[in-house]
Amino acid sequence: MREIRWHGRGGQGAKSMSQVLAEAWLRQGRWVQAFPEYGPERSGAPVTAYTRADARPIRIHHAVRNPDAVVVLDPSLLGEVPVTAGLRPGGFVLVNSPESASSLAERLPGVRVLRVDGSALARTAGGNYANVVLLGAVAGVLGEPALEALQQAFAATFAKLSPEAVAVNFKALEAGYRAALEEAERPGPGAVQAAPTPREDLPGAVVLAQDAPHPRTGGWRTGLKPAVRLEACVNCLLCWVYCPDAAILTENQAFVGFDYQHCKGCELCVKACPTAAIEMVPEGLELVGQGQLTPRTQGGRHA
Amino acid sequence: MPSLKTLAHNAETDVRFTGGHSLCRGCGAPTVVRTVLNSIPTPVVVVNATGCLEVATTRYPTTAWGVPWLHLAFENAAAAASGLETAYRALRKRGAIPDEPLTFVVFGGDGGTYDIGLQALSGALERGHRFLYVCYDNEGYMNTGIQRSGATPFAAATTTSPSGRRDYGKHQTRKDITAIAIAHHIPYVAQAAISHWQDLSDKAVRASQQQGPAFLNVLSGCALGWGHPPADTIEVVRLAVETRYWPLYEVVQGHYWLNHRPERPLPLEEWLSRQDRFKHLFASENREHLTELQALVDAEWTQVEARAVVDAPWFEARPEMRGGRV
Amino acid sequence: MLEAPALSLLTGGEAVAVAVRQIDPDVFPVYPITPQTPIIQSFAQMVADGQARTEIINVESEHSAMSAAAAAALAGARTLTATSSQGLALMVEVVYIAASLRAPVVMAVGNRALSGPINIHADHSDAMLARDTGWVQLFAENAQEAYDLMLLAPRLAEHPEVRLPVMVGLDGFTITHSAEPVALLGDAKVQAWVGEYRHPYPLLDTANPVTVGPFAMPDSYFELRYQLQEALERVPGVLEALCRGYARLSGREYAAFESYRLEDAERALVVMGSAAGTAKEAIDRLREQGEKVGLLKLRLFRPFPAQALREALAHVPHVAVLDRALSLGSFPPLYAEVCAALYGSPTRLQSYAGGLGGREIYTEDLMRLFGELAELPAGPTRYVGLRR
């Protein structure tokens, strides 16, 4: 049996791609399953989906525990979600990232890491969706299902798309498929297992607010973060009142910066700012002077 | 009226709601929660009905709440608040807890307020418990995937009132929950919107000072359910106010006061056209429904405005009873 | 100082109301339903006359009654309530939640049939729909037991090893509305017995805020549910200790169940509630005729004291179980429990069901039951008093 785990963020198509992959395998005579994990998450939150394929009918109904392949649609998940958990020996993690494979491998020690710059390849193909590239790529590395089956499955799943859009996505699938074949040449080490964290439950599921963990939601941002030109800030605090994530930091009732651990990058602060002091900038950069950007020099809370 | 500096000061000294929740990017609900809670000077205890706000802020063992917080179920938030408020009175009477003021605040979505929670809400309002019920109204069952609710406006498309080749979305008009609350003859009822934070903050303060129940219906946004970019949440809600779709008003001891009168009201299309849920209304075959919706909005505005005119002398004699104009 | 053993003539409902007054709970949210009304009317009058300081909330439904009760208990207030039948059915969603949040609410249930057709009289169908909720469930035989169990209930519910809500069942009309002599304890004695209620994480403690009722994913739900199972498993031990204390206080002995003439019995009946008294009468008459018959009257239905019950019935060759509820489409609930408890034992079991919707169970019915028990071939449930 082949078992694939997909990691993405709500809205990035992890669930859809898990289904297209299953559909493609189905078209090649395999028995398949595709299913997501459901939780209280909203668009932007980490989501997980699974695909299974086998020569025989699949009867098990539980999450994939030891995947052959893990597809990470969003590189920001690497620090947030244990993507390598349970990876089967000989398995691989395929990451959508512009970052070099060696640098990614440092962040995911002990496993075989493959990378595809899905976003760039999608753009080259004329589209916007990295997920399709990654779908092609995972099939490329696995050697199945065939590219044609993937394309047919894609067209069947997204039957409402225009012929032009379908053509673009076919290109993206193919680009991913070919990129992966090259990428897969590189060997890697074996699998590691993430240990679950033990926890003491108080009777009645009581959570003591003082001790409760606050999940980091900064990873929900999609490459852009708010930055401020302090000299333009009039300290009206409109950004503060409208921030859904309480990510505008104040001291003595004055704006002092952003809590990048929790800022989801919704841009409501940018819209609320009456003096245009806040702009969205690429992660890792800071805003200086009249809107010039500079690499971040001092340690922030979240890069 | 509290200033944003006051609210920020309150939030700095007593963190009542934090980030780290999994509400959507650009969600309107936290603005309701933070503005209301940061405006209330006393300690608070919060009850939350099942919904987006509840599931996304308390995924065990995490919590975004820095104040005591209780969730029981979907339809009974007001009943739970009744129990808490009564426990508070009972224990204070016996000297078992300090004799200090405490404000009970319920947050429920429109599903938990207009629909499934209406009976418990009505009962609690009728019994006169001293609490503040805040409906964060995003006009649909967004938590379960954008189904129609009693708050969904006429002709809006949801997953259970879809528009299609032969249909134009929800056939029925929105329930006027604010009027239903008013009919309970409670001391204070108001409509507010997240786009007008100062009005909302002022209303939260005055609602919490009442000697009985108070009800706030706050138009919150939902980028996903309404179909607009997350960055536009506040702006879209502001358009609901400026098109007179969502009148900002309050009813003090039965007397109406308009808090906002758009100088040049915008045509309803300005609001509708920003949202995918109304996209179909701009097709030629659906124009009549758009006209119908505009008529409904005009009728409600006229009604509220007329009441405010009638009640103006009452407020003139009691200027301390009325809220500000924004 | 010895207390005068004065007996008061009280209906079961009034006896429960006296117990509630003596406990003097902080909060009593309630919605009227027959046959629970004597409890809440009597108690409302007592509060109106200044005999209790309780805050009664006259809510608009049982669903809200249980919601307010759970919330008040979690706020740190000792909270009691009462219901019956459809009321319990309506509130059952929150009955589950109250247990899961470990709200030690005590609720008297005037056991009544469930609709439909609508019926206001005694049976145990209402209690049976709450059997998987995580509540402790006790059943009283008569007004005296109803009173005593109501006084035991807060101590059990609030015990740090337990912290679970407790339901005390008394048969509708048969007990709620029948006047019987009841030995009452003095108010001061009861106050000393129940003591003060202290919740470890009260919601009203704003200096130590807690989040109560969070959202649990598959990674935590199971453990949190298992906590309830563990807490229920600690109930029999705690109850036994409390009963010892209560015996010292009242002179009345209680336990999870009562064995009546069971020591040498060759045939025995297992039953709950008011029919147990009738069974004792039937047994005495049969014993006079030399028949070796006995009774196991179950008070504690949840948690089900399976091991103790198995030991108590180990020597009895024939056991009948009389249910006052059906589990439509299968064996009745009490019978199914006893079967599971006695699995592998040589005892032969027979299921009976009767007394539904207030249908009388006469002494003669039970004498007949004992009479046929040893002769019956193994078979399906037999129905006592059913016309067909």
Side-chain angles (χ1 to χ4, degrees), chain B residues 34-68:
Chain B
R34 291 173 67 229
T35 306
V36 168
L37 294 187
N38 290 330
S39 299
I40 296 173
T42 68
V44 297
V45 177
V46 168
V47 179
N48 206 165
T50 307
C52 282
L53 181 63
E54 170 263 327
V55 298
T57 59
T58 64
R59 179 176 173 153
Y60 186 83
T62 74
T63 183
W65 299 85
V67 294

Side-chain angles (χ1 to χ4, degrees), chain A residues 9-10 39-45 199-202 205-209 212-217 219-222 234-248 250-254 262 264-268 271, chain B residues 4-9 11-12 17-28 30-31 34-35 38 51-53 55-56 59-67 142-143 194-198 224 230-235 238 274:
Chain A
R9 293 187 177 279
E41 289 81 16
R42 298 299 180 267
S43 58
R199 180 174 69 221
E200 194 195 343
D201 297 311
L202 293 174
V206 167
V207 178
L208 304 179
H214 292 285
R216 296 179 174 199
T217 52
W220 292 33
R221 294 195 301 277
T222 51
V234 294
N235 205 36
C236 64
L237 295 178
L238 283 171
C239 54
W240 177 84
V241 77
Y242 288 129
C243 175
D245 297 296
I248 305 292
T250 66
E251 274 168 24
N252 301 317
Q253 305 111 60
H262 293 121
K264 293 175 187 149
C266 71
E267 300 185 38
L268 278 177
K271 292 265 185 168
Chain B
L4 274 183
K5 291 234 187 302
T6 311
L7 298 197
H9 171 78
E12 283 169 20
F17 186 84
T18 69
H21 54 71
S22 55
L23 287 160
C24 289
R25 248 185 233 125
C27 179
T31 294
R34 291 173 67 229
T35 306
N38 290 330
C52 282
L53 181 63
V55 298
R59 179 176 173 153
Y60 186 83
T62 74
T63 183
W65 299 85
V67 294
M142 304 319 189
N143 185 41
I194 53 167
S195 51
H196 294 68
W197 69 267
Q198 191 158 36
L224 192 68
D232 291 353
T233 303
I234 304 298
E235 201 181 325
R238 187 180 300 281
R274 300 290 294 270

Side-chain angles (χ1 to χ4, degrees), chain C residues 175-371:
Chain C
I175 304 300
T176 56
H177 286 61
S178 302
E180 297 180 318
V182 179
L184 301 174
L185 297 177
D187 293 357
K189 258 190 170 178
V190 173
Q191 272 298 301
W193 162 256
V194 295
E196 278 205 7
Y197 166 52
R198 291 231 177 276
H199 190 283
Y201 311 105
L203 281 161
L204 294 183
D205 181 1
T206 53
N208 297 290
V210 287
T211 287
V212 179
F215 182 87
M217 286 286 286
D219 67 349
S220 53
Y221 178 86
F222 199 177
E223 282 71 22
L224 295 169
R225 296 303 291 178
Y226 181 67
Q227 274 188 352
L228 292 176
Q229 181 72 13
E230 285 185 310
L232 278 163
E233 283 166 7
R234 291 191 290 266
V235 165
V238 173
L239 179 64
E240 198 183 324
L242 284 174
C243 287
R244 276 198 299 275
Y246 192 73
R248 284 194 295 275
L249 183 78
S250 66
R252 292 185 288 277
E253 304 279 346
Y254 281 92
F257 55 82
E258 175 191 347
S259 301
Y260 183 78
R261 307 191 84 164
L262 197 60
E263 313 74 44
D264 60 342
E266 290 165 0
R267 284 162 285 156
L269 175 67
V270 179
V271 74
M272 300 193 295
S274 61
T278 312
K280 288 174 186 168
E281 183 65 25
I283 286 163
D284 286 355
R285 288 200 211 165
L286 290 170
R287 283 272 178 180
E288 278 169 30
Q289 298 164 21
E291 309 270 355
K292 290 192 170 174
V293 292
L295 170 74
L296 192 146
K297 176 185 84 180
L298 193 63
R299 291 196 192 92
L300 179 66
F301 180 69
R302 278 291 181 274
F304 195 79
Q307 186 57 30
L309 195 123
R310 181 185 175 92
E311 286 161 17
L313 293 172
H315 64 286
V316 187
H318 295 277
V319 171
V321 181
L322 174 56
D323 274 271
R324 291 198 76 165
L326 301 179
S327 172
L328 294 170
S330 184
F331 289 106
L334 179 59
Y335 175 75
E337 298 285 348
V338 176
C339 269
L342 267 64
Y343 178 74
S345 130
T347 298
R348 274 190 59 181
L349 288 167
Q350 174 62 43
S351 166
Y352 286 88
L356 262 73
R359 178 67 51 87
E360 298 289 352
I361 299 173
Y362 292 104
T363 311
E364 293 74 17
D365 293 329
L366 300 182
M367 291 174 73
R368 260 198 304 281
L369 179 155
F370 278 117

Side-chain angles (χ1 to χ4, degrees), chain B residues 141-165:
Chain B
Y141 291 95
M142 304 319 189
N143 185 41
T144 43
I146 316 163
Q147 291 87 14
R148 89 187 267 292
S149 80
T152 304
F154 173 75
T158 69
T159 57
T160 51
S161 64
S163 63
R165 260 174 247 135

Side-chain angles (χ1 to χ4, degrees), chain B residues 265-322:
Chain B
L266 300 171
L268 193 60
E269 282 92 332
E270 296 275 320
W271 180 58
L272 303 179
S273 64
R274 300 290 294 270
Q275 307 169 65
D276 289 347
R277 63 177 175 156
F278 294 117
K279 197 166 56 180
H280 58 286
L281 291 185
F282 294 90
S284 56
E285 68 270 25
N286 285 328
R287 291 303 290 205
E288 57 173 309
H289 302 302
L290 201 154
T291 312
E292 213 175 327
L293 182 54
Q294 177 73 65
L296 287 166
V297 168
D298 292 345
E300 188 182 335
W301 173 269
T302 308
Q303 208 174 2
V304 172
E305 193 178 39
R307 291 297 305 263
V309 169
V310 170
D311 289 334
W314 191 86
F315 283 104
E316 262 163 45
R318 298 166 189 80
E320 75 285 357
M321 300 295 269
R322 67 173 191 233

Side-chain angles (χ1 to χ4, degrees), chain B residues 216-269:
Chain B
L216 283 187
N217 194 15
V218 187
L219 189 65
S220 179
C222 179
L224 192 68
W226 291 12
H228 60 70
D232 291 353
T233 303
I234 304 298
E235 201 181 325
V236 170
V237 171
R238 187 180 300 281
L239 285 168
V241 174
E242 296 304 329
T243 55
R244 307 205 292 201
Y245 168 79
W246 191 262
L248 304 182
Y249 68 104
E250 57 192 348
V251 180
V252 185
Q253 294 172 18
H255 301 277
Y256 284 62
W257 179 256
L258 256 181
N259 304 95
H260 181 67
R261 202 185 293 267
E263 277 178 32
R264 276 185 303 278
L266 300 171
L268 193 60
E269 282 92 332

Side-chain angles (χ1 to χ4, degrees), chain A residues 16 23 27-28 34 45 49 58 68 97 99 115 120-123 129 157 166 198 200 209 237 283-284 290:
Chain A
S16 300
E23 174 78 29
R27 282 160 188 270
Q28 299 211 302
I58 300 170
D68 299 288
S97 175
E99 202 175 327
R115 56 68 90 174
L121 289 173
R123 274 194 300 277
Y129 298 103
T157 308
V166 170
E200 194 195 343
L237 295 178
E283 302 282 349
Q290 295 301 306

